[in-house]
Amino acid sequence: MKRMGCCEEAGNKKQASKAGQWKKIGLTAGLLSVMIGAAGCQMKNYEKIELSGIQEQEKETGGDEGTEETEKAASASGSETLDAQCSPVNAEITKETAPSMEERDEVVYVDATDLNVRTEPRKNAEVVAKLNRGAELQRTGYSKEWSKVVYEGKEYYISSQFLTTQKPAEETAAAVSTAGSLSGEVGLNPEWKYADFSKINSGKAVLYRAEGNNRKGKVVCVNAGHGTKGGSSVKTQCHPDGTPKVTGGSTAAGAVTATAISSGMAFADGTPEPKVTLAVAKVLKDKLLARGFDVLMIRESDDVQLDNIARTVLANNLADCHIAIHYDSTSSDKGAFYMSVPDVASYRNMEPVASHWKEHHALGDSLIAGLKGVGVKLFSDGKMAMDLTQTSYSTVPSVDIEVGDKASDYSASSLDKLGNGLADGVELFFGN
């Protein structure tokens, strides 16, 4: 049964393209973490935390665990790779092939990382160069989707979304050397509580540590929804005690197993949801680190083999709270909301829900307050009751937050606003 407007999951993925403000640089025997300061934030050095003695479970992966998520278009998983990384969004939202353009004669600047310069105004046209933030160009033509620019004496095309008439603030990168070749990566320990309920768990999350005098000593798990190939073909147990679901969703009420992790929906322009949730997660990571919070990144690439239960158990054992980022499957630009714990006695009395559901609500309310504070549109009162696998296994404050739906804007400025609002919400939660 398809759920109207909610998604659950705690999906993830492995290896991100280039985080516009973070890069891992390989050095001989070690890894460097590169942090590029987010706009408006003071530059700091960040490093991955080395984790020794963490046991990793080595089993074959079969499917994926996505419980109560809105059923998202299965076609999304086959969508094209996005072109530009900005803030660090990988997005070039156009399928226009022959746009009519206004004549322009103006200087513009690139506001992205690795932005493609193409021979024609269409996706998948030949790429002649990649430009980074601050590159100056002469624009001679403009449409909503594409701009004609002069680059090295010739006219080419660039996605208009990533050009600005105001020069972006300069950014610097600082690298901090770490001690081991796999410093900061962590897998699922089979000895952890509830770990044996996971079916897909060969992937690794990455733990980052903030540096500086403002370090909070708190770890925030940032979980980019979806992003586990093959996950939709596997089932996992909805509740640790084996009882059935008490609400509907992508899995009907009364079911005892659900999708291990769904593939997600596709936005109106065809962009797959996992691409955008990952972009939001990267922006949030940068902002949290700049504010002194350590960050457990569940997914940093298009695919990470960790199902919803594995992601939740990692957060339970390594983080102080768990934020799973999703977009709803509706098409009305309904606004942001979080999945609250259903007011059903049997569910609220089941452990670990019984001991933690009030914390989940407190975290969700704080995140919604943060989003509201920066002007993000909200749906209804900012919450919707849903029996989720993530909630059912969480032992730390944990929410699935839907930051929009398939009609929502996910431009660099929108993602930056979401990142600021969510980071404000995290500070509000721990401040309280």
Side-chain angles (χ1 to χ4, degrees):
M1 179 183 295
K2 186 171 184 179
R3 167 163 75 93
M4 288 300 297
C6 307
C7 57
E8 178 223 51
E9 296 191 279
N12 330 143
K13 303 171 182 175
K14 231 175 176 192
Q15 257 203 330
S17 17
K18 297 181 181 179
Q21 303 163 336
W22 287 82
K23 299 179 181 176
K24 296 180 211 165
I25 303 173
L27 283 182
T28 56
L31 289 179
L32 291 182
S33 291
V34 176
M35 191 286 177
I36 298 180
C41 295
Q42 181 179 3
M43 191 61 199
K44 297 191 183 343
N45 293 339
Y46 307 122
E47 64 180 32
K48 297 178 189 176
I49 299 175
E50 182 174 8
L51 298 168
S52 58
I54 297 282
Q55 290 180 296
E56 299 167 13
Q57 183 176 18
E58 303 206 359
K59 356 169 39 170
E60 293 185 358
T61 65
D64 99 87
E65 181 261 345
T67 51
E68 331 309 312
E69 285 196 279
T70 323
E71 247 195 287
K72 322 229 177 178
S75 61
S77 60
S79 301
E80 299 177 35
T81 301
L82 303 175
D83 282 330
Q85 182 176 20
C86 179
S87 206
V89 61
N90 259 347
E92 195 170 48
I93 54 171
T94 177
K95 296 184 181 305
E96 185 177 22
T97 57
S100 58
M101 291 190 170
E102 302 173 11
E103 288 189 5
R104 295 284 180 94
D105 183 12
E106 60 187 358
V107 174
V108 292
Y109 302 90
V110 172
D111 191 15
T113 300
D114 283 349
L115 181 61
N116 290 325
V117 179
R118 296 184 179 276
T119 56
E120 299 177 45
R122 63 179 177 81
K123 203 170 177 71
N124 296 329
E126 180 185 354
V127 175
V128 297
K130 290 180 179 288
L131 301 178
N132 289 319
R133 184 171 283 103
E136 181 177 323
L137 298 163
Q138 189 71 21
R139 178 156 59 188
T140 59
Y142 170 81
S143 74
K144 182 179 179 182
E145 284 78 21
W146 294 97
S147 286
K148 184 187 296 184
V149 299
V150 177
Y151 174 71
E152 294 187 343
K154 296 182 180 180
E155 286 188 331
Y156 295 104
Y157 297 88
I158 289 179
S159 176
S160 295
Q161 181 181 1
F162 303 107
L163 295 177
T164 177
T165 55
Q166 295 185 338
K167 188 171 183 177
E170 290 187 6
E171 296 178 329
T172 59
V176 179
S177 150
T178 57
S181 59
L182 290 177
S183 173
E185 291 194 346
V186 57
L188 186 70
N189 184 338
E191 300 303 316
W192 285 336
K193 190 171 185 178
Y194 304 130
D196 55 341
F197 287 93
S198 168
K199 297 290 183 63
I200 304 175
N201 45 54
S202 63
K204 303 287 182 61
V206 180
L207 188 57
Y208 290 89
R209 182 176 65 201
E211 295 292 333
N213 296 330
N214 68 335
R215 190 158 182 259
K216 301 291 196 304
K218 296 289 185 181
V219 180
V220 179
C221 175
V222 177
N223 178 359
H226 312 289
T228 298
K229 293 178 181 177
S232 59
S233 63
V234 175
K235 297 285 187 179
T236 53
Q237 192 166 298
C238 296
H239 300 161
D241 66 355
T243 54
K245 277 169 51 65
V246 300
T247 69
S250 57
T251 301
V256 295
T257 61
T259 303
I261 188 163
S262 70
S263 59
M265 58 79 169
F267 283 82
D269 64 353
T271 301
E273 180 190 0
K275 290 282 186 185
V276 183
T277 60
L278 180 58
V280 177
K282 289 178 177 179
V283 172
L284 179 56
K285 176 189 76 172
D286 289 352
K287 292 184 182 296
L288 289 172
L289 287 168
R291 297 184 189 206
F293 291 98
D294 298 341
V295 178
L296 176 67
M297 284 290 282
I298 291 293
R299 176 167 73 90
E300 291 197 296
S301 64
D302 287 345
D303 174 56
V304 66
Q305 290 294 303
L306 293 169
D307 61 26
N308 282 340
I309 294 179
R311 298 179 186 205
T312 299
V313 174
L314 281 163
N316 289 349
N317 289 274
L318 297 173
D320 295 288
C321 72
H322 178 185
I323 302 170
I325 300 167
H326 292 270
Y327 282 81
D328 197 19
S329 63
T330 55
S331 302
S332 58
D333 192 20
K334 67 197 297 181
F337 61 98
Y338 75 92
M339 302 295 194
S340 62
V341 179
D343 189 8
V344 177
S346 62
Y347 188 66
R348 288 193 176 183
N349 290 331
M350 178 192 77
E351 291 293 352
V353 179
S355 297
H356 299 282
W357 71 265
K358 292 181 180 179
E359 297 173 353
H360 304 333
H361 281 194
L363 175 59
D365 290 341
S366 294
L367 295 177
I368 290 298
L371 291 172
K372 182 178 181 180
V374 297
V376 172
K377 180 181 178 181
L378 302 181
F379 171 68
S380 185
D381 62 351
K383 64 183 72 171
M384 178 184 293
M386 188 64 58
D387 175 352
L388 302 178
T389 297
Q390 176 182 332
T391 307
S392 302
Y393 287 85
S394 288
T395 60
V396 295
S398 174
V399 295
D400 169 326
I401 187 157
E402 311 281 326
V403 295
D405 67 12
K406 61 171 62 177
S408 297
D409 174 34
Y410 59 89
S411 63
S413 59
S414 294
L415 299 192
D416 191 66
K417 180 186 289 188
L418 288 173
N420 283 328
L422 292 172
D424 287 348
V426 170
E427 289 204 293
L428 178 62
F429 175 73
F430 284 112
N432 290 336

